[in-house]
Amino acid sequence: MRATLTQIAKRAGVSTAAVSQVLNNHPHAQTLRPETRKRILEAVRELGYCRNENAAEIRTGVTKTIALLLEFGHSSVHGEAAGEILMGLLNAASESGYNVKVCNAADLEHTRRELLKYGIQYAVCFAFSRLLQHEIGEFCRDRKISLCYIQESGRDDFPLVYSDDRAAMREVARLLLAEGHRRIAVVKPEDDVRYSVERCTGVAEGLREHGLKLELISAHYDPQDHFADLERWFDLPEPERPTAFVCTDDNRAAEVLITALRLGIRIPEQCRIFGFGDTIAGRLYFPVGTVSQPFKEMGEAAVKIVTARKSEEAGKVPLLHLFPAVLKDPARK
C-alpha cells in the first residue's frame, strides 16, 4: 500500500503542509528547522514513500518534461559535438528527474502542437536557422515557456549556452605571435553566424594587441573553395607569405594542410595550422592544432538554466553562458 503524506506527517510529527514543502523543494521548506526536515526525510525513507509524478503534474499543471528542439536537417546536429551536447543534456535531465521529448524544430507547426499537447514548460533549442530560432522564441515567449538556446541564437531575450570562442581564438593568435609569426591568415565560412564572427574577432583582437591588423581572410561557403586563395598565398614571395593559418573549423584546417603538402610546404616548420572544434585535427597525422569545446558541460548547463528560470531564482539567471575552451597543440608537445 502506497504511503501517504498524512502518514509521513504523523510519523515525523509535523503538518502535511510541511511534508509537501520538503518533498516539492518549495522555498518555504528552507524556513523549517534542519532537524525537522531531517525527520521528514527519515519518515519518507522508513515508509517507502514514492512520489506520484503523474498526480503531481495534474495537480500543479506543470509537466516535468523538457522539449529538445533539434533541427534534424542541419549537418551540425549529426556530428560528434552534437552527440556530446545531447549526452550532457540527457544525463542532467535524468539526474534532475525530468523527461526529455525530442521534437524536429524544422517542422515548426508539429513542434508547437506537441508543446501544447503535453503542456511542456521547458525547452532547449539546438537549431541553426535564424528564422527557426526567432519563431521558436516568439512561441515560447507568448506561451511563457522557459527556453534556452545551445550554440546559436538569433535572439537576445533568452539564455544562450556556448563556448567562449573569441577568447580561445585570441589565445591561438597570442601563441602564434609568441612563436614569431606575423603573417597570420584566417580561413572561415562566408557567413555572419555568431560562432564564425566570434572566432574571427578573437584572432583580430590577438593581432591588435601586437599592433597588427588581420588582413588575410579567405571566406567561402564550401571548404574546397579556399584552394584558390591558399595557392595564391603560398605562391607569394617568402616575406609576404602567411606562415600561420587559423581556421574556424577543423575541416578548413584540413584543406589548408592538403594544399600546403601538395605544394611542398613543411608542416609545422614552414607553416603552422590551427583548426577549431577538435573533430578531425587529431586524426590528420600532422601536427595541426585545434580548440576543444566543453560540449557535455554545455548540455548539462542548458537543463539547469531552463529549470531555474521557472523558479524563484529566474531573475538571477544571466542570458549569456560562455564556457572556456581548451587549446590542443600537438606541435608544442
Side-chain angles (χ1 to χ4, degrees):
M1 182 176 177
R2 184 189 296 273
T4 65
L5 296 186
T6 301
Q7 292 172 325
I8 295 171
K10 185 176 180 180
R11 175 71 66 92
V14 298
S15 67
T16 55
V19 174
S20 178
Q21 289 166 4
V22 170
L23 294 180
N24 288 288
N25 292 318
H26 193 280
H28 289 169
Q30 300 306 313
T31 64
L32 299 174
R33 296 168 63 183
E35 54 267 31
T36 301
R37 293 199 299 274
K38 182 179 179 181
R39 287 204 313 275
I40 292 172
L41 293 175
E42 287 176 348
V44 168
R45 287 192 293 271
E46 291 169 0
L47 294 173
Y49 175 80
C50 182
R51 177 183 165 92
N52 187 329
E53 294 294 343
N54 289 332
E57 290 177 2
I58 293 172
R59 184 174 64 254
T60 63
V62 177
T63 303
K64 289 199 72 173
T65 298
I66 299 172
L68 177 56
L69 313 180
L70 295 177
E71 187 179 355
F72 285 111
H74 199 282
S75 59
S76 294
V77 174
H78 303 280
E80 294 180 16
E84 290 186 40
I85 289 174
L86 299 183
M87 284 304 300
L89 187 147
L90 292 172
N91 286 337
S94 176
E95 290 176 0
S96 301
Y98 285 85
N99 299 312
V100 176
K101 179 173 179 55
V102 180
C103 300
N104 183 4
D107 188 348
L108 195 53
E109 285 303 316
H110 181 71
T111 294
R112 288 168 175 159
R113 288 196 298 270
E114 292 292 285
L115 292 175
L116 294 176
K117 177 181 177 181
Y118 293 98
I120 294 174
Q121 293 297 303
Y122 311 96
V124 174
C125 179
F126 192 19
F128 295 83
S129 163
R130 288 295 181 91
L131 180 60
L132 273 180
Q133 294 166 11
H134 179 74
E135 293 189 353
I136 288 169
E138 287 289 295
F139 180 80
C140 289
R141 185 191 64 188
D142 293 343
R143 297 288 176 173
K144 294 182 172 54
I145 295 173
S146 180
L147 172 67
C148 176
Y149 292 95
I150 292 182
Q151 191 160 330
E152 281 295 320
S153 171
R155 303 180 65 98
D156 296 321
D157 52 345
F158 287 101
L160 168 67
V161 171
Y162 198 45
S163 58
D164 195 345
D165 292 5
R166 181 185 296 196
M169 283 303 216
R170 196 161 51 236
E171 287 303 311
V172 171
R174 288 169 177 167
L175 183 154
L176 295 173
L177 289 163
E179 293 179 353
H181 297 278
R182 292 299 181 267
R183 298 285 290 172
I184 299 175
V186 166
V187 181
K188 65 181 289 292
E190 189 176 12
D191 59 31
D192 60 351
V193 176
R194 182 190 297 263
Y195 68 79
S196 294
V197 173
E198 290 292 299
R199 293 172 191 177
C200 190
T201 300
V203 177
E205 289 177 348
L207 291 174
R208 194 158 53 244
E209 291 174 356
H210 287 71
L212 301 174
K213 292 183 179 180
L214 176 57
E215 299 175 334
L216 300 173
I217 301 177
S218 176
H220 296 283
Y221 286 109
D222 190 331
Q224 294 188 359
D225 290 340
H226 295 288
F227 276 127
D229 293 336
L230 297 176
E231 289 181 334
R232 174 169 53 82
W233 286 341
F234 280 127
D235 195 43
L236 291 171
E238 190 166 334
E240 301 175 24
R241 181 190 307 162
T243 61
F245 289 82
V246 182
C247 308
T248 56
D249 58 75
D250 276 6
N251 288 331
R252 285 175 168 78
E255 299 296 339
V256 175
L257 175 65
I258 292 169
T259 305
L261 294 175
R262 183 165 57 82
L263 297 175
I265 306 295
R266 297 193 308 276
I267 307 296
E269 294 83 2
Q270 292 180 301
C271 179
R272 287 280 264 131
I273 304 172
F274 256 92
F276 201 104
D278 195 18
T279 55
I280 63 172
R283 301 195 293 270
L284 293 177
Y285 302 103
F286 287 88
V288 173
T290 190
V291 176
S292 179
Q293 298 161 279
F295 291 117
K296 183 173 179 290
E297 290 84 350
M298 288 159 50
E300 293 171 345
V303 171
K304 296 176 182 177
I305 290 166
V306 293
T307 54
R309 286 177 67 82
K310 278 291 180 181
S311 73
E312 292 193 359
E313 295 295 310
K316 302 177 183 178
V317 178
L319 291 179
L320 185 60
H321 302 259
L322 295 179
F323 290 77
V326 179
L327 272 60
K328 300 178 71 173
D329 185 12
R332 292 175 65 85
K333 286 184 177 179

